[in-house]
Amino acid sequence: MSLADKYPQEVKKIMAKYPPEQKRSAVMPLLYLAQRDKGFVTKAALEDIARMLDMTTTDVAGIVGFYTLYHDQQAGKYRMQVCTDLPCALRGADKFLEELCGNLGVKVGATTPDGMITVEAVMCLAGCDKAPMFQVQSGEGIAYHENMTMDKTMELVAALRKSGKEVK
Amino acid sequence: MPALLLRHRDIPDIGKLDVYNKNGGFEAFKKVVTSMQPQEVTDVVKASGLRGRGGAGFPTGVKWSFIPNNIWPHYVVANADESEPGTFKDREIMECNPFQFLEGVAIAAFAVGANAAYIYLRGEFWTMAAILDKKIAEMEKTGLLGEKLFGTDYSLQIYTHLGAGAYICGEETALLESIEGKRGQPRIRPPFPAVYGLYGKPTVINNVETLTNVPLIIEKGADWYKSMGTADSAGVKIFSLSGHVNQPGNYELPFGTTYRELIYKCGGGVTDDRPVKAIMSAGASSSFIVADDKALDTPMDYASVRTLGADLGSASVIVINDSVNLEWVINRTIHFFKHESCGKCTPCREGCYWMMHLVERIEQGQDVLANTELLYSVAKQMQNKCLCPLGEFATMAVTTAIERFPADFKPSLAGGQHG
Amino acid sequence: MAKMVSLMVDGQPVSVPAGTLIVNAAKQVGIDIPVFCYHPKMEPVGMCRQCLVEVGRPVIDRATGQPVMEGDKPKIGFGPKLETACTTPVSEGMLVLSQSDKAKASQKEILEFLLTSHPLDCPVCDKGGECPLQNLTMAHASPQSRYIYAEKSHAGKHLPLGDLIWLDRERCIQCARCIRFQEEIVGEPVLAFYQRGRATDIITNSDPGFDSVFSGNTSDICPVGALTTADFRFGARPWEMKAAASICAQCPVGCNVTFNTRREAMSGGKVAIKRVMPRQNEAVNEIWLCDKGRFTYHFTDDANRLAKPLLRKNGEQVTASWTESMQVVSQAFSDARKNSVILASGRLSNEDLFNLKQLADGLGGEALLYTHMGGGELTASLGVSAGTNFSNMGKETTILVVASDLYNEAPLWFLRIKQAAERGAALIIVNARETKLERYAKFTVRYSYGDETDTVRGLAKKGKVGETITAAENLVVLYGSDGLGLDGSSSVAAACAELVKDCTGKPNNGLIGVWPRANDQGAWELGFQPADDLAKIFKGKAVYIVAADPVGDDPKLKTALQGAKFVAVQELFLTRTAQLADVVLPAQAYTEREGSFTSGERRVQRYYPAIPQRGETRADFEITAAIAKEVGLELEGRSASLVMDKLGASLKAFEGTSYRKLAETNEQWPIVGRGDLYYGGTTYENRQGLGVTLALSPSTAGKVVKGSGKFLRPDEDQWLAVPVTRLYDRGITVTTSELLHAHIDAAIVLLHPEMAKQLGVTAGDQLSVNGFQAEVRLDATVPASVALLPRSMGFPINAPAPAELKKA
């Protein structure tokens, strides 16, 4: 099903942001829309967006490959992206990540067996004064979690697991 | 002194439209649209001495004056891609004082004759983009955006556009490519965005903080703005303080404040009461400042910081105490640049990857002296060859760490966070 | 006239038009600034940084605006950084240093960077020996690398980009030439970068992969061995091969090519053609070649080639000697005299066709052209003239394309007309269905099959289209055979001729036929008439068929041949027609001899032998001369060059087309070969001839066939089966290239999805069309009540016909 049929209002709003002869600008917001379902961009979505914007699927794929927040493969429903860049690292981010991985029983980059959580290490998220911090990316979008303790983090994980199971 | 940019610290609800309006909000915008010529607005901003707050420090009014009047339409783009490690000032503005920022965008648009403005936010600022969309909708509802504003012929729309996780998109021309729906890689310059920008049309790109200064400059005048700060750095700056300090955060201070004041007065001093070893003045794109007394007492402004062999940049101050080996620090910065390199030009693409291997070997204590020498050589080899500043900035921390902290690159000390 | 700029490059003065890039200005004085990402035919991107040079400019006093002087010379100020020579245009008084210590150090360092990731593949890499990276490394790089081998990045080494091109990701230096070629020049952006930083690699997502008929060109311009063709991969080393200049024989564009050959053990000691490379001719194919021309040379040295003559004895065809066979043939034509018919095709050279025409005239018989497309008589007097060049067409030219799908019928014309349109030429496409070139058209005129002639007649009369035609400073009209047979195309040609009849004689004006075969233009110029009803034509005649296979194209024509008194077939293969012949004479393939073709732009171009002749084959013109001798006619048969001299003496248009003249060349831009051999890619320099454009004939070469005026039209109650052309068909010149088999369709019929629904069929179903089985394909560009049938796919169709469609 085309994105235009699935999310007509949103697609309309997106296309209206840009001059009509510059349709290609809509490729980034449309890719986020395409990720809503499964958290990654499927081949069918590439073809759909290519058709909508008069682009080749190759060109759309090139966009997916370039940016960190677009994914071409399925991972956990929730990606916990922990900042381990320099300022956070100076404030204990490495240890935080190690502990989190230990608690979840996965290595960095891997997904928990229930398919709910993937742990990733990412670059600076502009939360340097609130380390340790991370963001959670899902098909729905991105949410920040800052000034986190391990306890608060594991509470969040439990909540995500619960809410994930309810959403069918 | 009351806050000029982080006004929510004095007026907590200033993020609400009615509160903002009550506090002089949009008076400046109304003034320019109804009673000033675009050129006049540019002249005021020029006279104020406002310089770009994104890192380059280019005089804002001068940038606006480059827009030619024989190619149309014109665009304004607000650079909210804030991805420099150690930088988190623009997000506080957008989260807590959004209307002043939006008013700045609007005034800039009027000044350069643009009827459409785009705010390019980094993809991670997802919730912020949604909030800005709401604020923009409120402005539209109350006649502050849209067609024929304030009974004049001037129309303006502001749109948000989300990036998707690429630091390079903070570079002006890469940002434009990204909005155009292409891979976010920098263009060759010339031509410059002022002449060939978004969709090939004249475009002004300004940082969020820069634009947030504009309404006040219009309201209170260029002379008022110039009276703050130093001779070559007018006005106030938000310093993002992070790293080994007790109170990291954003601090709005006049130019000319010293590092000592920032770190010890605002930042509550160094963690574990240890001495400051090095200061990174511009986030990861820094030349390390050796934190001796002279450095600590240096005023933070464009000219003075240069005397320390560093740059003010975006004023993202990362403090490093003596518990950390600089080799470990540049391992982080090199990984950052290697991850963010767009890959377009040879020296940055290959050089960042090579530096990563070299610094990892140094980290593991392999042939430290030889590898340090080679690392220095490779970094130097990248300089003055890259297509855009990212490659250049990737080398600065490396060369200055080796030059200014040679002790950290001795075989016995290499490896790990603690020296 | 562009303003000229004077500057110094490495101490040498240069004067070039304003806007010239430093790298190209340097080339004018033989200074080769090293480049990778820059290509002279594409926009500069300044990515690889190999061309960084020191650039000094006269210092201007800010206050006075005048240059600051140092003695009597202006003071030169150098910038703090080096600048890329490929993105910087020259300016007056500029001083460029490409060999200074600083510049040399930079060149060395960039190469060191590139080589940190580049694998040590030279011993196994096809590009070795013709590799810009190798050459520039030898010239500018340090012999030692400081990079640890074990830390080199690794990536896929044998990845298919489609099935014609292989990608080696480790060798790729991310110069983006291939991506930019597909996007800028071809307009089919089916290659892109994926990932970023060091992980950047090339992908293709089209289905099929690398879906473009120009894909082979990317392996020419790739500066390393990252892109290789499946055809040539591991074939031979460049220095082992000899080069023979030739012309592609697949379509009327007449692309200049080079055959690379090698005598090798794996071919049993024979000289084999290893690959086809483009040869530079800026007025014909520039430096490009389409994939059909690049990969369909295999038919010339296929194992099934005829090597000896065949005679029918006791109902069987048996090998015979030339002497015996020639006796039989000559006797037959001696007896038949004016009851002789010669049927030839545009696959033959000008020399072959000339001798055939002479023979026919001498016998008093007919010289007929085997073709489904007419109107060529008009192109002799109303064709394009010398100086015509698509590269020079811009705002002042209107290009009209009627009933032709250029992407499939003449790919290089598609490419060059697309670029002309992008430069401002007014492109008008007139066709019954959408074709690829349309997206570049200023106007598109749609008609229903059957209404072609009326539509063309009405074009100039009204509206914006009419204005664009009548007000044009230059007008070029191309017409093809999309949905047209002999009758229809003759009629369309006559209508098109009306549009250009007053503007021919100057460059970039005239009528061009998009012929089905390479030398149809030559045949028309020489006075061949198109053959229509073969059964009628052959009845009771002595028939000499050369380079044509009517029975292979339409089995029903078997009876036509059986109605002839005597049939001699001169061929490369034992075709279905040849199998019915009384005598089969084995001809040389054009790669085994000399000759010339006349392109659709009326340019005569020479080709040279690449491989020795097969078995006892002889050149077509030689065989014809031998037959002529036996029937008492003196024809030249000793060499193609001498035949051409005779041709030139007898036809005014061919005056001055001697082999010497055909071999003349002049300087072309961009420079290919010379110092920096691979600046423009591995295209061959043209030192063997640019060809000569024919003068216009004062009147048409033969009588003009006007067309019946009666045309079929599709309607709800009567579907129309309509012939169209596909680039890759089931003709023997394509099927002998195994590599292309995946690109050759089955016998298919194209229907609009709605129409298919009406018939109750869907994609993949079998449909009976006038008794023949065809596989259904859905295509939304097919008009209503029309079934499109590609020619030469096993379905005999040469003109529109009423269609009886039945679900199989």
Side-chain angles (χ1 to χ4, degrees):
Chain A
M1 196 193 220
S2 168
L3 286 175
D5 296 324
K6 207 165 178 197
Y7 309 109
Q9 291 306 329
E10 303 200 49
V11 171
K12 209 158 146 235
K13 233 170 70 187
I14 287 169
M15 303 301 293
K17 280 190 183 180
Y18 311 100
E21 69 277 8
Q22 307 289 350
K23 278 200 292 215
R24 196 181 163 137
S25 289
V27 71
M28 288 182 83
L30 286 179
L31 282 169
Y32 278 124
L33 214 52
Q35 280 194 157
R36 246 191 223 177
D37 233 351
K38 299 194 169 80
F40 76 105
V41 183
T42 61
K43 188 161 193 283
L46 284 179
E47 286 163 4
D48 181 29
I49 293 176
R51 251 193 310 270
M52 285 169 69
L53 304 179
D54 265 327
M55 291 168 69
T56 58
T57 42
T58 306
D59 276 346
V60 181
I63 309 286
V64 173
F66 183 80
Y67 295 98
T68 318
L69 293 175
Y70 295 132
H71 308 287
D72 58 9
Q73 285 185 347
Q74 189 140 34
K77 188 164 163 54
Y78 298 102
R79 294 171 189 257
M80 291 180 69
Q81 297 163 335
V82 182
C83 176
T84 53
D85 214 330
L86 176 62
C88 280
L90 289 170
R91 299 184 75 80
D94 289 339
K95 209 159 149 263
F96 180 84
L97 177 63
E98 210 186 308
E99 227 189 300
L100 177 62
C101 284
N103 288 345
L104 291 174
V106 289
K107 285 212 194 79
V108 179
T111 307
T112 55
D114 64 355
M116 294 302 288
I117 315 277
T118 302
V119 181
E120 297 170 342
V122 297
M123 299 293 146
C124 182
L125 296 174
C128 322
D129 56 339
K130 303 188 180 79
M133 55 86 59
F134 55 86
Q135 69 181 18
V136 175
Q137 185 188 19
S138 71
E140 292 304 311
I142 295 170
Y144 269 36
H145 300 276
E146 302 173 287
N147 287 319
M148 293 303 279
T149 61
M150 191 47 66
D151 287 337
K152 280 208 288 204
T153 304
M154 294 317 289
E155 271 172 40
L156 173 68
V157 169
L160 289 175
R161 283 188 151 132
K162 192 150 170 275
S163 80
K165 281 209 186 77
E166 285 167 9
V167 176
K168 245 325 155 224
Chain B
M1 187 172 90
L4 301 174
L5 305 172
L6 301 175
R7 286 171 76 190
H8 54 286
R9 301 218 179 152
D10 298 324
I11 311 165
D13 284 332
I14 200 157
K16 295 205 175 101
L17 185 55
D18 53 345
V19 177
Y20 184 69
N21 281 334
K22 246 191 271 187
N23 283 279
F26 291 105
E27 290 302 317
F29 184 46
K30 255 191 225 113
K31 177 172 160 197
V32 307
V33 174
T34 56
S35 69
M36 288 174 78
Q37 290 299 313
Q39 184 58 51
E40 285 177 75
V41 182
T42 300
D43 288 339
V44 173
V45 174
K46 237 197 223 168
S48 73
L50 174 66
R51 294 168 71 156
R53 299 294 194 243
F58 192 85
T60 309
V62 175
K63 201 184 224 187
W64 293 4
S65 72
F66 288 152
I67 299 288
N69 275 316
N70 55 350
I71 311 169
W72 295 93
H74 299 168
Y75 292 102
V76 163
V77 173
N79 189 342
D81 188 66
E82 191 163 64
S83 302
E84 181 72 51
T87 318
F88 40 93
K89 58 186 177 69
D90 295 334
R91 64 172 281 211
E92 190 170 340
I93 293 174
M94 290 190 289
E95 279 168 336
C96 308
N97 189 10
F99 288 112
Q100 188 166 326
F101 158 58
L102 290 168
E103 188 177 359
V105 174
I107 295 171
F110 178 82
V112 302
N115 300 110
Y118 290 90
I119 303 170
Y120 186 95
L121 297 111
R122 61 180 294 181
E124 294 85 352
F125 285 174
W126 186 278
T127 39
M128 225 168 301
I131 291 170
L132 282 176
D133 281 341
K134 273 210 204 83
K135 304 296 181 189
I136 289 170
E138 281 178 56
M139 285 169 70
E140 283 169 351
K141 262 203 210 84
T142 56
L144 293 165
L145 283 176
E147 301 288 312
K148 299 194 188 298
L149 299 171
F150 315 123
T152 70
D153 269 323
Y154 184 64
S155 308
L156 177 63
Q157 301 276 35
I158 302 180
Y159 307 103
T160 58
H161 179 104
L162 267 179
Y167 164 78
I168 185 61
C169 289
E171 195 279 329
E172 292 189 345
T173 58
L175 191 157
L176 295 174
E177 291 284 289
S178 186
I179 297 183
E180 291 183 9
K182 306 181 194 143
R183 288 163 62 88
Q185 296 183 304
R187 302 173 178 166
I188 47 172
R189 279 145 291 142
F192 291 90
V195 174
Y196 187 91
L198 184 62
Y199 308 128
K201 302 293 181 189
T203 306
V204 152
I205 302 148
N206 281 136
N207 173 264
V208 170
E209 186 187 348
T210 313
L211 292 164
T212 311
N213 280 282
V214 171
L216 300 170
I217 292 172
I218 298 298
E219 193 191 317
K220 303 205 176 106
D223 289 335
W224 162 81
Y225 196 75
K226 251 196 142 129
S227 73
M228 300 179 288
T230 66
D232 87 324
S233 312
V236 295
K237 180 81 187 71
I238 302 175
F239 294 86
S240 296
L241 182 65
S242 66
H244 288 150
V245 287
N246 289 316
Q247 280 148 38
N250 286 317
Y251 297 99
E252 184 184 310
L253 301 162
F255 279 112
T257 311
T258 65
Y259 280 109
R260 195 184 294 281
E261 288 168 307
L262 175 67
I263 295 171
Y264 290 97
K265 234 171 74 184
C266 304
V270 182
T271 51
D272 300 329
D273 260 327
R274 298 180 82 114
V276 189
K277 180 169 169 180
I279 300 171
M280 299 176 82
S281 55
S285 304
S286 292
S287 299
F288 288 102
I289 296 173
V290 179
D292 53 20
D293 285 322
K294 174 167 174 282
L296 287 169
D297 290 319
T298 301
M300 298 185 294
D301 62 64
Y302 293 101
S304 305
V305 176
R306 222 164 277 133
T307 65
L308 298 171
D311 276 296
L312 186 82
S314 50
S316 315
V317 181
I318 306 175
V319 174
I320 298 167
N321 69 25
D322 70 349
S323 71
V324 169
N325 183 310
L326 278 234
E327 161 275 312
W328 175 90
V329 174
I330 64 169
N331 192 348
R332 292 290 155 140
T333 62
I334 290 173
H335 267 88
F336 173 78
F337 287 108
K338 178 231 159 213
H339 185 266
E340 299 298 335
S341 167
C342 78
K344 192 170 185 183
C345 77
T346 306
C348 175
R349 180 184 71 239
E350 307 296 335
C352 286
Y353 187 74
W354 194 355
M355 288 201 297
M356 181 192 77
H357 280 295
L358 291 168
V359 81
E360 278 180 352
R361 263 185 275 140
I362 294 170
E363 176 95 354
Q364 284 157 30
Q366 288 177 39
D367 254 322
V368 173
L369 290 174
N371 281 323
T372 302
E373 203 183 309
L374 184 55
L375 176 61
Y376 186 78
S377 169
V378 171
K380 274 285 200 236
Q381 194 166 298
M382 284 167 66
Q383 286 175 352
N384 294 324
K385 295 204 181 67
C386 300
L387 183 72
C388 88
L390 187 150
E392 308 286 337
F393 290 157
T395 64
M396 278 152 42
V398 177
T399 52
T400 54
I402 295 171
E403 281 166 3
R404 299 174 189 176
F405 297 88
D408 284 17
F409 294 87
K410 289 270 176 338
S412 54
L413 289 178
Q417 185 161 344
H418 298 275
Chain C
M1 263 306 284
K3 190 178 124 186
M4 298 301 276
V5 171
S6 301
L7 66 151
M8 300 282 277
V9 180
D10 292 345
Q12 288 207 51
V14 193
S15 184
V16 286
T20 305
L21 300 165
I22 293 177
V23 65
N24 292 329
K27 283 243 180 268
Q28 302 295 339
V29 286
I31 294 172
D32 295 316
I33 297 175
V35 299
F36 286 115
C37 68
Y38 179 71
H39 188 280
K41 292 258 179 199
M42 300 193 278
E43 288 301 302
V45 284
M47 283 166 63
C48 70
R49 317 306 283 175
Q50 187 62 46
C51 67
L52 287 168
V53 290
E54 288 197 76
V55 178
R57 296 174 176 81
V59 179
I60 304 289
D61 185 324
R62 286 251 178 110
T64 65
Q66 293 303 310
V68 174
M69 300 305 280
E70 215 163 45
D72 61 344
K73 283 212 183 91
K75 179 162 183 224
I76 302 291
F78 284 84
K81 290 172 145 193
L82 301 173
E83 296 178 43
T84 45
C86 72
T87 59
T88 311
V90 299
S91 60
E92 190 64 36
M94 187 186 259
L95 212 77
V96 176
L97 303 175
S98 79
Q99 315 265 28
S100 64
D101 288 341
K102 241 179 160 184
K104 290 230 282 262
S106 169
Q107 289 155 13
K108 182 163 129 262
E109 288 158 2
I110 296 293
L111 279 163
E112 183 181 28
F113 276 131
L114 286 174
L115 293 169
T116 59
S117 296
H118 195 80
L120 294 177
D121 273 3
C122 294
V124 299
C125 175
D126 292 315
K127 205 80 178 183
E130 55 185 17
C131 175
L133 180 61
Q134 263 189 349
N135 286 16
L136 292 177
T137 298
M138 293 303 287
H140 302 286
S142 160
Q144 309 276 54
S145 173
R146 301 175 295 170
Y147 196 84
I148 290 189
Y149 185 75
E151 285 170 359
K152 267 179 155 2
S153 65
H154 292 294
K157 292 192 74 62
H158 189 216
L159 301 165
L161 291 179
D163 57 357
L164 298 175
I165 304 289
W166 289 103
L167 168 67
D168 184 311
R169 287 196 169 137
E170 282 184 358
R171 296 177 190 166
C172 176
I173 57 170
Q174 286 86 19
C175 72
R177 270 186 174 188
C178 56
I179 296 173
R180 288 149 50 210
F181 169 76
Q182 286 298 132
E183 180 168 346
E184 263 179 65
I185 299 194
V186 177
E188 297 182 298
V190 291
L191 293 180
F193 276 138
Y194 205 67
Q195 312 275 43
R196 62 181 191 223
R198 177 83 286 283
T200 306
D201 31 54
I202 306 280
I203 56 158
T204 179
N205 260 44
S206 59
D207 187 14
F210 205 166
D211 192 10
S212 169
V213 302
F214 300 101
S215 65
N217 293 297
T218 57
S219 80
D220 289 339
I221 60 177
C222 177
V224 294
L227 295 174
T228 51
T229 68
D231 182 61
F232 180 63
R233 195 170 160 84
F234 299 139
R237 287 309 205 171
W239 60 82
E240 294 175 327
M241 299 190 291
K242 290 201 158 59
S246 190
I247 306 290
C248 176
Q250 293 289 20
C251 88
V253 174
C255 295
N256 288 203
V257 301
T258 298
F259 286 110
N260 281 141
T261 62
R262 181 178 76 161
R263 181 195 286 284
E264 54 183 24
M266 65 196 259
S267 300
K270 291 201 299 185
V271 176
I273 298 174
K274 301 306 292 181
R275 67 175 184 185
V276 181
M277 297 295 276
R279 183 165 53 108
Q280 185 182 33
N281 191 329
E282 290 296 322
V284 180
N285 58 308
E286 298 179 39
I287 56 173
W288 313 120
L289 191 58
C290 82
D291 289 349
K292 187 175 186 182
R294 195 181 290 268
F295 299 126
T296 58
Y297 60 90
H298 298 95
F299 76 91
T300 64
D301 59 8
D302 187 83
N304 292 318
R305 286 272 309 283
L306 294 166
K308 284 178 185 284
L310 298 171
L311 266 182
R312 192 173 293 282
K313 289 184 177 165
N314 301 324
E316 291 270 313
Q317 281 179 317
V318 295
T319 56
S321 68
W322 273 100
T323 326
E324 202 186 341
S325 314
M326 291 304 269
Q327 254 171 22
V328 174
V329 174
S330 325
Q331 191 63 62
F333 285 103
S334 259
D335 294 343
R337 284 283 139 179
K338 65 181 196 319
N339 287 319
S340 306
V341 171
I342 291 177
L343 182 69
S345 87
R347 288 212 171 273
L348 296 167
S349 72
N350 294 316
E351 298 76 7
D352 304 329
L353 290 165
F354 178 66
N355 272 8
L356 285 168
K357 182 77 169 49
Q358 298 280 80
L359 177 62
D361 288 349
L363 290 168
E366 290 187 277
L368 299 174
L369 180 63
Y370 181 65
T371 180
H372 62 253
M373 183 172 157
E377 316 89 346
L378 295 163
T379 59
S381 59
L382 297 172
V384 294
S385 313
T388 294
N389 188 341
F390 283 115
S391 299
N392 295 338
M393 295 185 196
K395 280 199 289 279
E396 65 310 306
T397 305
T398 293
I399 305 174
L400 183 63
V401 181
V402 180
S404 178
D405 176 10
L406 283 178
Y407 188 83
N408 276 293
E409 296 175 28
L412 255 295
W413 281 348
F414 163 89
L415 195 68
R416 300 185 73 221
I417 291 176
K418 170 232 182 226
Q419 293 189 291
E422 286 175 333
R423 281 193 305 270
L427 177 61
I428 305 173
I429 305 277
V430 185
N431 210 327
R433 62 188 178 106
E434 192 184 330
T435 58
K436 267 203 192 182
L437 193 54
E438 253 172 56
R439 57 184 297 190
Y440 305 100
K442 191 162 182 198
F443 301 109
T444 300
V445 179
R446 214 38 107 231
Y447 55 76
S448 172
Y449 283 115
D451 289 336
E452 301 85 355
T453 308
D454 288 339
T455 306
V456 175
R457 285 208 189 113
L459 276 179
K461 299 206 172 124
K462 59 185 168 94
K464 284 222 149 70
V465 171
E467 261 177 60
T468 310
I469 293 174
T470 53
E473 209 180 298
N474 294 318
L475 177 65
V476 182
V477 180
L478 295 97
Y479 78 99
S481 55
D482 190 88
L484 297 168
L486 193 56
D487 191 27
S489 57
S490 303
S491 173
V492 167
C496 288
E498 286 296 306
L499 295 172
V500 296
K501 68 179 198 288
D502 294 324
C503 64
T504 55
K506 47 188 171 99
N508 297 345
N509 282 274
L511 183 65
I512 297 177
V514 187
W515 309 116
R517 292 182 187 85
N519 198 22
D520 279 330
Q521 186 66 37
W524 291 110
E525 300 277 348
L526 292 166
F528 276 74
Q529 295 281 278
D532 49 8
D533 186 348
L534 286 181
K536 209 167 97 193
I537 292 168
F538 287 173
K539 199 158 178 63
K541 304 279 198 324
V543 177
Y544 182 18
I545 302 177
V546 189
D549 182 15
V551 179
D553 288 337
D554 184 356
K556 287 207 272 359
L557 289 173
K558 187 173 178 179
T559 49
L561 247 79
Q562 286 164 340
K565 189 154 194 280
F566 172 85
V567 178
V569 172
Q570 192 165 300
E571 250 295 347
L572 299 179
F573 295 94
L574 190 64
T575 60
R576 293 233 196 108
T577 304
Q579 285 165 25
L580 298 171
D582 298 304
V583 187
V584 180
L585 302 168
Q588 285 173 355
Y590 84 103
T591 49
E592 298 165 351
R593 44 163 282 198
E594 281 196 309
S596 66
F597 292 139
T598 310
S599 75
E601 291 178 88
R602 308 186 66 248
R603 178 180 291 259
V604 178
Q605 302 183 108
R606 245 181 102 170
Y607 57 83
Y608 299 75
I611 50 176
Q613 76 189 51
R614 169 70 54 101
E616 293 176 33
T617 56
R618 297 184 185 176
D620 294 276
F621 67 83
E622 191 190 325
I623 303 172
T624 306
I627 297 173
K629 185 158 193 239
E630 298 301 316
V631 301
L633 295 163
E634 273 301 313
L635 292 186
E636 182 56 70
R638 290 171 294 170
S639 80
S641 161
L642 293 172
V643 178
M644 177 52 89
D645 287 342
K646 282 254 150 66
L647 214 193
S650 75
L651 272 180
K652 201 137 196 343
F654 279 78
E655 221 171 59
T657 56
S658 70
Y659 267 39
R660 167 171 262 150
K661 264 234 103 105
L662 292 175
E664 280 176 12
T665 58
N666 49 42
E667 181 130 327
Q668 302 192 80
W669 180 265
I671 296 170
V672 169
R674 284 196 245 163
D676 180 2
L677 274 175
Y678 308 115
Y679 171 66
T682 47
T683 277
Y684 273 75
E685 196 182 353
N686 191 334
R687 285 191 252 145
Q688 298 87 355
L690 294 172
V692 171
T693 304
L694 297 174
L696 289 174
S697 288
S699 61
T700 58
K703 84 171 171 16
V704 177
V705 174
K706 276 244 170 74
S708 71
K710 297 196 195 52
F711 305 115
L712 294 171
R713 288 172 177 75
D715 72 51
E716 270 171 29
D717 304 315
Q718 179 58 70
W719 284 55
L720 201 59
V722 164
V724 294
T725 302
R726 274 280 179 96
L727 188 64
Y728 297 119
D729 56 27
R730 305 187 138 229
I732 200 159
T733 61
V734 184
T735 55
T736 39
S737 298
E738 243 184 87
L739 183 65
L740 293 173
H741 282 182
H743 292 254
I744 305 173
D745 249 322
I748 57 171
V749 56
L750 296 143
L751 300 172
H752 190 284
E754 285 304 311
M755 295 285 118
K757 237 196 254 172
Q758 275 184 35
L759 290 170
V761 292
T762 184
D765 286 347
Q766 290 292 314
L767 192 66
S768 161
V769 187
N770 292 355
F772 278 89
Q773 298 283 69
E775 189 184 310
V776 173
R777 284 291 153 76
L778 300 180
D779 186 335
T781 65
V782 181
S785 303
V786 168
L788 287 187
L789 293 151
R791 295 184 173 95
S792 297
M793 299 290 272
F795 189 104
I797 178 165
N798 262 327
E804 285 250 344
L805 304 157
K806 282 203 271 274
K807 229 173 133 165

